[in-house]
Amino acid sequence: MTLPADATPLPADARTLPADLIPAPLSAGCRSAAPGRRPLDGRTTLDAGPGTETTARWIRATLGAATGLPLADGAGPHAIRLRITEGAAGGRGPEAYRLTTEDPDAAVVIEGGGPAGVFWGAQTLRQLLGPDAHRRAPVRRDGTWDLPCTTVEDAPRFGWRGLLLDVARHFLPKDDVLRYLDLLAAHKLNVLHLHLTDDQGWRVEIERHPRLTEVGAWRARTKWGHRDSPLWTEVPHGGFYTRDDIREIVAYAAERHITVVPEIDLPGHAQAAIAAYPELGNTDVVDTAALTVWDTWGVNPNVLAPTEAVLRFYEGVFEEVLDLFPSTFVHIGGDECPKDQWKASPTARARVEELGVGDEEGLQSWFVRHFDRWLAARGRRLIGWDEILEGGLAEGAAVSSWRGYAGGIAAAEAGHDVVMCPEQHVYLDHRQAPGEDEPMPIGYVRTLADVYRFEPVPPGLTPEAAAHIMGTQANVWTEVTENRSRLDYQVFPRLAAFAEVAWSALPAPEARDHAGFERRMRTHYRRLEALGVDHRPPAGPRPWQRRPAPEGMEGSLGRPREGTPPNV
């Protein structure tokens, strides 16, 4: 790349962030002694090198729509030049990128360490163009856009930067999932964890077991509020993704360099599956034929029977899941599995003796280990919630640490890879502020500032253990998040703070510049609004976002917790 003759080196610690970039890059600033602005207009072309095709398509479809620019193929001084260069941003890996508007031979140059790096550079380009570049059609009458003088060098801190969407408790239609993939991409997040099955619904079509969606995808009514609430929504709820829906979601994500990780929960959280196929449950102690898809919340006692027939059933499920999802990791849940039915079941007690696993806790470990081996034999890796540590894990399994840091610390010290997602810090269904106006308040208060100061790597880990923290994830569970508007309110703006934690090389939590982040958020709120995100405003919820429930459900019960959450 040729730089202007009067260019000066960019300091390694430069933090002059043009256009209020979020997440903050490693470095950004103008090196020219005579800075100016670079126009994008009708002359602007797109010069896409080998391997950058997905980004070129995204630029034409998204930035082309927002700006109205034709962006024809072509090189030259008015081009947006896309290239893959292994040494981009100091050779920091395939997701690293370097963007400059200071090259005299092009309007913008984006170099990535790999295709993903080029794509993340294009997200920065969009932010540099301003909030109007986040719209679906041009709003500027003159058709001229310009860019500041800047060179940005950037790379992510973590390789796993995720968001969990629980589509089991409340179904999220396919188009809304696609929309969330766009929102993840805009924040340089690269994992969508889909929680596809639970007691309250089964959301993925399985051809060999059609009743999973014919029966298991629908419930007759829904608890309104926390499980202790006396209120109900007397409207059937459900939905599922067809196999082609899933293929579309996965392909759409791949175009945005996002991996979709499926979760099929077992051996607990299984009542929807048992309602569809009663033989999956503990039939010697429960009339499983009388079970329906669960309509309330909490930890359900109805769990899978520990039989070979159940293993074969779920192997069939996973065979189809692997066909639909190319993700290396497959999440099996493994959490909140009460053992009461197994303790009462002669079949389960006999199974304990037959397998020599000691007790009912050993049965859960047997379930997990079976699917760990089964997935590994097919070139995949099991990941599960931190309860799967109980009873020991096979070498390749990874852990989502949700109950706090402790499970992740234990897993990392034992040599297992970890995704940190402690509920006390990054459960976005938990309330954002105290007070009576927050809709359906759940959990501890976790403000934008609290999320910004979340640190995924606990202090005190050895360097060897810390290297097993492969990333971090924010989780949004949907028991009380019943539609897209409520989802937006709970997720944003906090996902912007989380994205910076996951991507940027930030100092220790107490040294983070939250005031500077809030200043940059003033511009980012305008981006979110241009994207149609129904976020929580800084001053508090808008009238239609406040706590009162729909007509006839006033006074609905949440589950707020007071004080500072424990750091466990």
Side-chain angles (χ1 to χ4, degrees):
M1 178 184 299
T2 304
L3 293 172
D6 57 353
T8 56
L10 181 68
D13 61 350
R15 303 294 289 185
T16 303
L17 303 182
D20 298 326
L21 296 177
I22 288 177
L26 285 171
S27 65
C30 178
R31 305 200 278 190
S32 175
R37 298 186 72 86
R38 299 299 294 266
L40 298 186
D41 52 30
R43 301 170 296 172
T44 302
T45 57
L46 191 55
D47 177 12
T52 69
E53 294 83 3
T54 58
T55 299
R57 282 194 294 271
W58 181 87
I59 288 175
R60 283 203 171 94
T62 305
L63 294 187
T67 62
L69 301 178
L71 302 175
D73 287 331
H78 301 290
I80 299 171
R81 186 195 302 160
L82 309 178
R83 294 290 187 271
I84 293 175
T85 307
E86 289 186 4
R92 293 184 176 93
E95 292 192 282
Y97 70 90
R98 184 174 188 269
L99 179 153
T100 185
T101 62
E102 301 184 73
D103 190 319
D105 298 325
V108 188
V109 177
I110 301 174
E111 296 177 327
V118 178
F119 183 73
W120 303 134
Q123 302 306 309
T124 297
L125 171 63
R126 189 189 198 184
Q127 290 197 12
L128 290 170
L129 286 169
D132 286 345
H134 294 70
R135 298 188 179 274
R136 295 186 182 182
V139 297
R140 297 186 184 180
R141 294 182 178 179
D142 60 7
T144 299
W145 302 73
D146 59 19
L147 293 164
C149 171
T150 189
T151 295
V152 179
E153 293 194 351
D154 204 6
R157 180 184 179 192
F158 293 108
W160 182 303
R161 307 179 301 280
L163 175 72
L164 175 142
L165 284 181
D166 169 16
V167 296
R169 272 54 176 268
H170 278 98
F171 179 64
L172 193 67
K174 180 201 70 179
D175 284 353
D176 289 334
V177 176
L178 300 179
R179 173 178 176 265
Y180 258 80
L181 287 167
D182 282 329
L183 292 172
L184 294 187
H187 292 83
K188 299 185 175 74
L189 297 172
N190 68 345
V191 174
L192 175 64
H193 174 172
L194 279 183
H195 182 76
L196 290 165
T197 73
D198 216 297
D199 302 299
Q200 298 84 5
W202 185 285
R203 305 296 178 213
V204 57
E205 179 186 24
I206 302 297
E207 286 185 333
R208 73 188 70 185
H209 303 306
R211 287 176 58 84
L212 286 172
T213 47
E214 291 171 358
V215 174
W218 307 92
R219 59 179 182 263
R221 64 175 187 169
T222 299
K223 174 70 72 171
W224 181 266
H226 182 252
R227 60 180 175 267
D228 292 332
S229 166
L231 303 175
W232 299 85
T233 302
E234 299 288 349
V235 176
H237 177 84
F240 65 94
Y241 309 110
T242 67
R243 290 169 61 84
D244 283 342
D245 289 338
I246 293 294
R247 291 187 181 101
E248 181 182 358
I249 288 168
V250 168
Y252 195 85
E255 285 275 312
R256 287 146 184 80
H257 300 277
I258 296 170
T259 299
V260 183
V261 175
E263 180 181 352
I264 305 296
D265 215 335
L266 61 86
H269 289 286
Q271 182 159 323
I274 296 169
Y277 292 94
E279 65 271 21
L280 296 176
N282 295 282
T283 56
D284 54 348
V285 293
V286 177
D287 180 11
T288 57
L291 293 177
T292 60
V293 177
W294 213 27
D295 54 14
T296 188
W297 320 120
V299 179
N300 188 300
N302 294 299
V303 302
L304 298 175
T307 66
E308 291 296 324
V310 169
L311 295 186
R312 301 292 88 76
F313 183 97
Y314 273 83
E315 286 172 359
V317 168
F318 280 114
E319 283 176 5
E320 295 194 29
V321 167
L322 298 192
D323 181 57
L324 294 170
F325 295 90
S327 166
T328 299
F329 286 97
V330 176
H331 209 293
I332 58 93
D335 62 318
E336 296 179 329
C337 179
K339 311 300 188 298
D340 296 342
Q341 290 183 2
W342 289 348
K343 290 177 181 177
S345 164
T347 301
R349 293 200 306 272
R351 196 71 164 143
V352 168
E353 293 298 320
E354 176 189 350
L355 296 170
V357 294
D359 57 18
E360 291 74 23
E361 297 294 336
L363 281 180
Q364 177 159 345
S365 179
W366 169 76
F367 261 106
V368 172
R369 283 180 172 272
H370 174 84
F371 285 103
D372 188 13
R373 293 190 297 269
W374 190 92
L375 289 167
R378 289 153 181 82
R380 307 296 183 96
R381 292 182 63 187
L382 179 147
I383 184 168
W385 303 110
D386 53 59
E387 286 97 327
I388 69 171
L389 285 165
E390 297 160 8
L393 279 182
E395 184 176 344
V399 169
S400 301
S401 187
W402 76 274
R403 291 181 293 182
Y405 286 109
I409 292 171
E413 289 178 342
H416 295 286
D417 289 337
V418 174
V419 175
M420 279 293 185
C421 49
E423 64 169 328
Q424 302 86 356
H425 303 281
V426 289
Y427 268 33
L428 300 185
D429 48 303
H430 289 191
R431 58 192 175 134
Q432 304 189 62
E436 295 299 317
D437 283 346
E438 291 301 311
M440 203 67 74
I442 299 294
Y444 294 102
V445 171
R446 291 288 85 191
T447 66
L448 183 69
D450 292 329
V451 175
Y452 190 66
R453 295 190 177 101
F454 165 60
E455 173 48 48
V457 180
L461 280 183
T462 65
E464 293 78 14
H468 284 288
I469 308 298
M470 62 180 178
T472 184
Q473 181 171 286
N475 296 341
V476 55
W477 303 98
T478 59
E479 289 94 334
V480 300
T481 306
E482 70 278 2
N483 55 39
R484 188 175 94 173
S485 178
R486 281 284 292 114
L487 183 64
D488 280 2
Y489 182 90
Q490 291 303 127
V491 171
F492 292 99
R494 292 183 293 181
L495 193 69
F498 173 80
E500 186 148 311
V501 168
W503 177 279
S504 304
L506 298 177
E510 62 277 6
R512 291 179 188 170
D513 181 10
H514 183 256
F517 174 74
E518 284 193 320
R519 284 193 297 273
R520 287 182 283 125
M521 279 299 299
R522 293 172 194 163
T523 299
H524 201 66
Y525 284 117
R526 293 174 56 208
R527 296 184 191 119
L528 294 177
E529 286 152 12
L531 288 164
V533 176
D534 199 8
H535 66 84
R536 182 187 190 276
R542 299 178 176 94
W544 60 88
Q545 296 172 321
R546 291 175 185 161
R547 185 174 185 179
E551 184 176 354
M553 295 187 176
E554 292 79 3
S556 56
L557 298 178
R559 188 192 58 170
R561 294 181 178 180
E562 304 302 332
T564 302
N567 197 22
V568 294

